[in-house]
């Protein structure tokens, strides 16, 4: 049987993946860790690969986010049917790359209605080049679902929080962005604790977190995210000087519309990669507050918002049409260009982990140059409506 898969990473290292929970309550952290391994190739037995699907609760939460109330159950059933056996090209709970080389860290924040698994194509790409990526799952009500553990170790579910009719959406989103920033900061602190040792993974699996002791390069961590997560990444970079670089994919800045002028205080380099059918004049105006001398703006033509997530790979042709994730540009090429822009930016301002040749940086530059006709530099977008700015959605 052939299962749907997210995009295979193009780096020289085989990727491993595991889930880690530090602390059982909402104040703790739940994250999916993507990391390089010693393996020469992925296991031929795909049952040893990472499962993308997280469970029915996540499908129901996505249905609650994207579908009208009378279709939410049907949407969740269809999503379960379509993605239940979907795979991520990474080895589940494989051992960390051996040796004494320290591995740089990326913290990744997901978008509204998403989860820790939704950006595996992006996170695997980074890990295949030697980065350790902590894709956190937010507990602010903006994830499609999440969970904590009670004293008996049983899951207690946290549902997606809908914007209440009649309430101003900015009230909920500005509250959530504050929580998200704290969660991003906490995730980096947890990475520091994992590097030092003495912490316990509340999720019992085969990955020994002691492998991470002394192996993380925390001197210049990167903060990244998509959509609401892009807004969280920018805000986290503004507030936490530990982060040295910011990657914002299609950032949705409505949650900080009352404080957007703070963007002008950015002191680190930022990459904003946008899709042309998502960005609106209002959101672009907000993005323009980022310092031009430190910010690289680029848009991939012929793309939709979900081209920077995994969903186009997992829904099939009919699902992409029905789910609004179909794009003029081929979805695999769109993700490859997105990842190339991200890797070229990181290589330029951060460098690749020690032991990887500059050849890879040159490859990204060449790939981006090959697809210049599909790119627009500067602030650009063709959308006219966006959640929040135009009183649409939710």
């Amino acid at each position: 049987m052939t299962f749907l898969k997210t995009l295979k990473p193009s780096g020289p290292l085989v990727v491993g993946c595991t889930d880690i929970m530090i602390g059982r309550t909402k104040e703790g952290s739940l994250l999916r860790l993507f990391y390089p391994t010693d393996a020469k190739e992925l296991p031929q037995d795909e049952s040893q690969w990472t499962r993308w699907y997280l469970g029915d609760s996540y499908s129901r939460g996505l249905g609650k986010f994207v579908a009208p109330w009378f279709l939410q159950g049907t949407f969740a059933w269809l999503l379960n049917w379509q993605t239940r056996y979907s795979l991520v090209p990474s080895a589940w709970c494989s051992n960390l790359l051996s040796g004494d080389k320290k591995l740089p860290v990326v913290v990744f924040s997901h978008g509204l209605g998403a989860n820790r698994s939704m950006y595996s194509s992006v996170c695997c790409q980074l890990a295949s080049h030697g980065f350790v990526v902590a894709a956190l799952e937010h507990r602010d009500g903006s994830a499609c679902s999440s969970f904590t553990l009670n004293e008996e170790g049983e899951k207690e579910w946290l549902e997606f929080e809908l914007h209440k009719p009649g309430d101003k959406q900015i009230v909920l989103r500005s509250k959530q962005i504050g929580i998200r920033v704290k969660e991003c900061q906490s995730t980096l602190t947890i990475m520091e604790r994992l590097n030092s040792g003495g912490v316990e993974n509340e999720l019992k699996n085969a990955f020994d977190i002691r492998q991470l002791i002394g192996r993380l390069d925390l001197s210049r961590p990167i903060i990244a995210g998509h959509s609401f997560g892009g807004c969280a990444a920018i805000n986290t970079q503004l507030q936490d000087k530990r982060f040295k670089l910011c990657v914002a994919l299609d950032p949705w800045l409505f949650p900080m519309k009352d404080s957007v002028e703070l963007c002008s205080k950015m002191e680190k380099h930022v990459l904003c990669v946008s899709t042309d059918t998502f960005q609106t004049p209002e959101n672009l105006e907000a993005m323009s507050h980022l310092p031009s001398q430190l910010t690289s703006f680029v848009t991939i033509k012929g793309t939709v918002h979900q081209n920077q997530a995994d969903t186009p790979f997992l829904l099939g042709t009919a699902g992409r049409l029905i789910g609004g994730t179909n794009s003029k540009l081929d979805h695999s090429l769109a993700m490859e260009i997105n990842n190339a822009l991200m890797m070229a930016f990181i290589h330029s301002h951060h460098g690749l982990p020690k032991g990887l040749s500059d050849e890879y940086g040159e490859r990204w530059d060449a790939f981006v140059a090959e697809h210049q006709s599909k790119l627009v530099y500067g602030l650009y977008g063709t959308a006219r409506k966006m959640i929040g700015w135009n009183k649409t959605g939710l």
Side-chain angles (χ1 to χ4, degrees):
M1 184 176 180
T2 301
F3 301 129
L4 292 168
K5 302 176 180 68
T6 58
L7 185 68
K8 185 177 181 180
S10 62
L13 301 170
V14 173
V15 178
C17 190
T18 192
D19 283 338
I20 294 175
M21 178 185 283
I22 305 298
R24 295 188 169 194
T25 68
K26 284 178 66 175
E27 288 67 39
S29 290
L30 171 61
L31 56 93
R32 176 153 285 189
L33 201 71
F34 299 82
Y35 53 89
T37 73
D38 280 323
K40 300 302 181 185
E41 59 183 17
L42 281 167
Q44 295 208 349
D45 180 2
E46 291 185 350
S47 67
Q48 298 177 39
W49 289 26
T50 301
R51 292 185 64 181
W52 184 89
Y53 177 77
L54 297 178
D56 178 66
S57 179
Y58 289 86
S59 296
R60 286 187 283 108
L62 275 168
K64 189 176 179 181
F65 174 48
V66 304
W69 66 268
F70 55 88
L71 289 177
Q72 289 174 8
T74 302
F75 179 93
W77 181 87
L78 287 170
L79 193 64
N80 283 335
W81 175 77
Q82 182 72 18
T83 66
R84 187 180 300 274
Y85 302 106
S86 297
L87 298 171
V88 178
S90 62
W92 181 248
C93 288
S94 180
N95 287 335
L96 181 71
L97 182 71
S98 60
D100 56 5
K101 293 176 182 175
K102 291 186 178 291
L103 307 171
V105 170
V106 180
V107 172
F108 194 94
S109 171
H110 64 71
L112 183 64
N115 56 58
R116 67 187 186 278
S117 181
M118 189 73 77
Y119 300 91
S120 297
S121 298
V122 172
C123 296
C124 280
Q125 182 66 11
L126 288 160
S128 74
H129 283 276
F131 291 86
V132 174
V133 186
L136 73 149
E137 191 164 273
H138 289 289
R139 267 83 168 273
D140 61 339
S142 68
C144 59
S145 187
S146 191
F147 64 92
T148 57
L149 297 177
N150 61 24
E151 292 182 358
E152 288 73 39
E154 301 167 330
K155 291 181 180 179
E156 295 186 341
W157 291 99
L158 304 171
E159 295 185 359
F160 176 73
E161 185 176 353
L162 280 171
H163 167 236
K164 296 176 182 177
D167 290 351
K168 289 186 176 181
Q169 183 152 185
I170 189 62
V171 175
L172 173 61
R173 303 308 173 202
S174 60
K175 179 185 77 171
Q176 288 177 328
I177 194 64
I179 297 171
R180 277 172 161 257
V181 168
K182 290 179 181 178
E183 290 177 332
C184 289
Q185 293 174 307
S186 295
T187 300
L188 182 55
T189 299
I190 282 172
M191 298 304 287
E192 293 172 342
R193 293 174 62 194
L194 287 168
N195 192 54
S196 299
V199 292
E200 179 183 356
N201 185 6
E202 298 289 350
L203 302 177
K204 307 306 178 185
N205 57 42
F207 184 77
D208 185 354
I209 61 173
R210 292 175 297 181
Q211 297 175 79
L212 297 167
I213 296 175
R215 294 299 312 283
L216 303 179
D217 178 0
L218 293 156
S219 64
R220 44 183 182 163
I222 299 168
I223 182 69
H226 175 249
S227 193
F228 202 175
C231 183
I234 289 170
N235 274 268
T236 303
Q237 181 68 85
L238 285 166
Q239 297 183 41
D240 194 327
K241 303 305 180 184
R242 291 178 297 173
F243 289 102
K244 307 303 182 186
L245 205 62
C246 177
V247 176
L249 306 178
D250 240 2
W252 175 52
L253 296 191
F254 171 75
M256 61 179 303
K257 80 178 186 72
D258 293 334
S259 57
V260 72
E261 68 281 352
L262 293 176
C263 287
S264 64
K265 299 184 182 297
M266 180 66 71
E267 297 177 353
K268 302 297 182 182
H269 287 281
V270 180
L271 171 67
C272 293
V273 182
S274 296
T275 60
D276 64 356
T277 60
F278 179 73
Q279 294 298 340
T280 63
E282 295 85 357
N283 205 66
L284 292 170
E285 168 63 25
M287 291 166 64
S288 72
H289 289 267
L290 289 164
S292 58
Q293 68 273 23
L294 293 173
T295 310
S296 300
F297 297 106
V298 59
T299 300
I300 307 172
K301 293 191 288 186
T303 52
V304 298
H305 194 48
Q306 291 301 321
N307 279 132
Q308 294 170 317
D310 293 334
T311 41
F313 296 94
L314 305 178
L315 295 182
T317 303
R320 286 194 295 272
L321 288 168
I322 296 170
T325 65
N326 200 47
S327 57
K328 292 180 181 179
L329 185 64
D330 174 77
H331 63 278
S332 293
L333 180 57
M335 179 61 78
E336 289 170 358
I337 294 173
N338 176 80
N339 287 349
L341 289 165
M342 176 181 65
M343 295 304 301
F345 174 81
I346 291 173
H347 180 253
S348 174
H349 295 285
H350 185 292
L352 292 175
K354 292 179 180 178
L356 290 180
S357 169
D358 278 348
E359 170 192 357
Y360 286 99
E362 294 169 1
R363 285 186 187 180
W364 298 125
D365 292 337
F367 187 86
V368 171
E370 180 185 349
H371 294 285
Q372 284 296 306
S373 63
K374 302 176 182 68
L375 302 175
V376 179
Y377 290 91
L379 291 163
Y380 176 80
T382 61
R384 290 294 174 261
K385 292 183 178 181
M386 181 185 287
I387 290 175
W389 291 114
N390 305 95
K391 300 181 180 178
T392 60
L394 296 190

